[in-house]
Amino acid sequence: SFLFSRRIYEHRKYAERHEAEYNLRMLSQLSITPNLNELPRIILRDQEITSVDYWLRENIRSAKFAILHISSGGSSAQYSADKFVEIGRHIRERYGMPIVLTGIESERALLERAANSIGDGAIIFIGHPLAELAALLARACVFVSNSTGPGHLAAAMGVPAIGLFPLPLALSKERWGYRGTRAVNLSAAPTQGCPNCKPCTCMERLTIESVL
């Protein structure tokens, strides 16, 4: 805030509001009164839609598929890759849907191991522009991820998006939860010492069954 020409007093560490609301409230300094409940909207261009449709035809022979984004990029506590694998296996076996694993190039080895563990019907989507990721998300039946940017993008695309969040306030679903008409944000039930227990075990206590 030292770069602002006008100081705005917000105490974010208590997570009394969502991050989007904190940011929208800053517009009041410009005499703008925003709708704090308005949801984000993403508009895709034809070229991204066409590119992703081609990728889907080449790689997935099903109109329905699920996306798992198993990394958080270090921005939040992370649900284990092994649990994501179990979730992927369940979706594939129960619903017959292929599983797409999204991420960035530096995560390729992690995603390839996860795809191999899930088995037939799992494929990775890496190295595409962000707008093409958005177009892929828009086609998915469901998206599951840690607290991460692609999750917010999925929720903005109107996809059924499940976000997995730790309990500490600075990282919580109250502060960073996905905003969308079909978004669900999950955390483990608090235990003694939460949300500041050391070591933090809340992501380990978030069960696969609750996600499913």
Side-chain angles (χ1 to χ4, degrees):
S1 62
F2 69 94
L3 293 175
F4 290 2
S5 59
R6 192 177 306 173
R7 188 172 293 277
I8 300 171
Y9 294 94
E10 289 279 16
H11 299 283
R12 300 182 182 221
K13 68 179 179 179
Y14 299 114
E16 294 173 341
R17 300 181 177 89
H18 193 277
E19 181 69 13
E21 185 176 345
Y22 279 124
N23 292 323
L24 288 169
R25 282 164 57 92
M26 290 194 290
L27 294 172
S28 65
Q29 295 296 320
L30 301 175
S31 299
I32 297 172
T33 304
N35 176 5
L36 299 180
N37 296 314
E38 187 168 354
L39 299 176
R41 296 185 302 275
I42 306 294
I43 299 174
L44 298 172
R45 297 177 300 181
D46 289 343
Q47 65 188 71
E48 283 92 29
I49 296 172
T50 300
S51 178
V52 164
D53 284 349
Y54 175 80
W55 185 89
L56 289 171
R57 287 194 302 271
E58 291 293 307
N59 293 278
I60 297 180
R61 298 182 179 181
S62 172
K64 297 182 177 181
F65 63 94
I67 295 179
L68 303 182
H69 191 87
I70 69 177
S71 175
S72 68
S75 62
S76 182
Q78 192 158 304
Y79 204 54
S80 79
D82 290 340
K83 289 184 177 181
F84 272 111
V85 166
E86 289 301 315
I87 291 168
R89 287 174 178 166
H90 180 91
I91 293 173
R92 188 198 62 193
E93 292 168 6
R94 181 169 180 177
Y95 301 104
M97 287 195 291
I99 305 298
V100 178
L101 300 169
T102 54
I104 58 177
E105 188 61 43
S106 61
E107 298 162 349
R108 179 178 291 276
L110 170 67
L111 299 184
E112 287 179 344
R113 287 195 300 271
N116 289 335
S117 296
I118 293 171
D120 291 341
I123 189 170
I124 63 175
F125 183 87
I126 287 179
H128 298 263
L130 186 61
E132 289 187 10
L133 174 62
L136 178 73
L137 295 172
R139 292 281 195 265
C141 288
V142 66
F143 174 94
V144 187
S145 78
N146 293 293
S147 173
T148 187
H152 293 286
L153 191 57
M157 301 304 301
V159 177
I162 301 173
L164 312 179
F165 293 84
L167 290 168
L169 291 177
L171 305 173
S172 66
K173 59 186 171 72
E174 288 75 22
R175 174 82 180 272
W176 294 101
Y178 299 158
R179 288 163 61 94
T181 57
R182 306 172 79 185
V184 175
N185 300 301
L186 300 178
S187 296
T191 189
Q192 186 174 5
C194 280
N196 300 310
C197 52
K198 301 293 183 181
C200 181
T201 62
C202 53
M203 294 302 280
E204 297 170 21
R205 290 185 287 105
L206 183 56
T207 66
I208 293 174
E209 289 73 22
S210 66
V211 178
L212 293 173

